[in-house]
């Protein structure tokens, strides 16, 4: 399978802008039906407190290199569907795989076509540089993975596409298993936090990625097609939770997810 087809299969193409619009997965929203940019705060600019806080967070979190939290951020940089299912298995209370949860993968893929497209649109509006281009410091993944080869420059920071991706999954899973909403949303928050722990994004970009996903999903949630797909995925997940097997390593993951990280505004 080519990289383009692999990305299409994973439902990630809207985040990457890697193919013509005609080849992208179909979402639940009609073209032009929603624009997230009026919902988001503008990206922080030099001289503003938010900009200074972002720089302070980047510098402070460089001290996490080599820690358990850094290792989690490195693992969270993998946004392929099997990795995301693994990341949310403990929180959801089931061992999630593409083979075991095809309806979940399908509904998430369609929703991501909408949330990812909105975040990509906002990136192009704000065009903010990533933090490691402003301040020196290690990041948890190769910078080449963040380079937009089509555009010929480093991809933009604000909002965070990885965060949009993780938070979309978290919002969907919380609807499917409301009794697990707390752990699921906590893991989704940590998935976003991993981006500024990594140094690939500013903290404000993580917050904007969560808001972009939440705002877009508020519109998606009203669509009958989404509601029908969600009902099928809910039944699938309930069966999977009842049948097992249970995920492993959850206590160790929870300890890392719940650990505090230094940020500029907390």
């Amino acid at each position: 399978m080519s990289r383009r087809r692999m990305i299409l299969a994973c439902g990630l193409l809207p985040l990457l802008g890697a193919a013509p619009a005609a080849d992208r997965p179909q979402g639940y929203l009609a073209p032009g039906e929603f624009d997230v940019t009026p919902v988001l705060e503008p990206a922080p600019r030099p001289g503003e407190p938010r900009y200074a806080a972002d720089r302070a967070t980047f510098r402070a979190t460089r001290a996490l290199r080599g820690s358990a939290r850094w290792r989690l951020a490195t693992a969270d940089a993998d946004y392929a569907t099997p990795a995301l299912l693994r990341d949310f298995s403990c929180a959801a209370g089931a061992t999630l795989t593409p083979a075991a949860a095809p309806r979940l993968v399908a509904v998430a893929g369609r929703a991501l076509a909408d949330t990812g497209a909105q975040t990509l649109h906002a990136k192009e509006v704000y065009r903010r540089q990533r933090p490691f281009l402003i301040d020196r410091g290690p990041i948890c993944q190769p910078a080449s993975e963040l380079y937009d080869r089509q555009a010929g420059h480093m991809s933009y920071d604000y909002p965070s596409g990885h965060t949009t991706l993780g938070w979309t999954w978290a919002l969907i899973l919380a609807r499917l298993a409301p009794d697990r909403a707390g752990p699921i949303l906590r893991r989704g928050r940590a998935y976003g936090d991993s981006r500024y722990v990594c140094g690939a994004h500013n903290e404000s970009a993580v917050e904007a990625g969560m808001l972009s996903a939440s705002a877009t999903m508020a519109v998606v949630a009203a669509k009958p097609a989404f509601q029908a797909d969600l009902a099928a995925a809910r039944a699938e997940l309930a069966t999977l939770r009842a049948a097992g097997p249970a995920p492993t390593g959850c206590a160790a993951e929870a300890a890392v997810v719940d650990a505090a990280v230094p940020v500029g505004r907390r």
Side-chain angles (χ1 to χ4, degrees):
M1 180 182 289
S2 69
R3 175 169 174 77
R4 174 175 292 183
R5 293 302 172 191
M6 178 180 70
I7 294 169
L8 276 166
C10 293
L12 296 169
L13 198 54
L15 294 182
L16 303 181
D23 292 339
R24 297 182 182 182
Q26 180 181 1
Y28 294 100
L29 303 182
E33 183 174 355
F34 180 66
D35 181 359
V36 80
T37 54
V39 181
L40 301 176
E41 289 186 82
R45 291 168 291 191
E48 296 178 348
R50 292 167 66 223
Y51 189 89
D54 276 343
R55 294 187 66 186
T57 295
F58 177 80
R59 291 191 293 263
T61 49
R62 295 318 85 211
L64 294 173
R65 185 181 187 183
S67 68
R69 190 62 184 84
W70 183 271
R71 289 191 292 274
L72 180 64
T74 303
D76 284 350
D78 183 354
Y79 51 69
T81 298
L84 275 157
L85 289 168
R86 176 201 65 212
D87 293 339
F88 281 99
S89 287
C90 285
T95 299
L96 304 176
T97 67
R103 289 183 174 87
L104 169 59
V105 171
V107 69
R110 282 196 69 180
L112 284 164
D114 296 315
T115 60
Q118 289 299 319
T119 284
L120 182 62
H121 168 55
K123 281 179 181 285
E124 289 296 325
V125 169
Y126 297 115
R127 300 192 171 195
R128 191 186 183 193
Q129 284 189 316
R130 291 179 181 266
F132 59 85
L133 299 178
I134 300 170
D135 291 294
R136 291 186 180 274
I139 62 174
C140 79
Q141 65 184 116
S144 60
E145 294 181 358
L146 305 172
Y147 191 79
D148 186 336
R149 288 175 175 79
Q150 277 194 327
H153 57 70
M154 193 65 67
S155 59
Y156 297 121
D157 169 62
Y158 187 96
S160 162
H162 270 76
T163 302
T164 297
L165 175 65
W167 196 242
T168 299
W169 275 91
L171 292 173
I172 290 171
L173 282 166
R175 284 177 173 268
L176 298 180
D179 61 310
R180 300 290 299 172
I184 289 167
L185 295 172
R186 185 163 64 246
R187 185 63 180 93
R189 182 265 304 160
Y191 188 89
D193 288 351
S194 284
R195 300 311 289 158
Y196 68 78
V197 170
C198 180
H201 280 289
N202 285 295
E203 186 193 3
S204 65
V206 169
E207 294 173 347
M210 292 175 69
L211 179 56
S212 181
S214 294
T216 307
M217 285 300 297
V219 184
V220 168
K223 299 297 179 180
F226 173 75
Q227 294 166 7
D229 291 345
L230 198 72
R234 183 177 294 112
E236 176 184 78
L237 181 58
T239 299
L240 191 58
R241 290 178 65 188
T248 60
C250 296
E253 178 186 87
V256 179
V257 166
D258 292 339
V261 294
V263 295
R265 282 175 283 172
R266 295 182 189 172

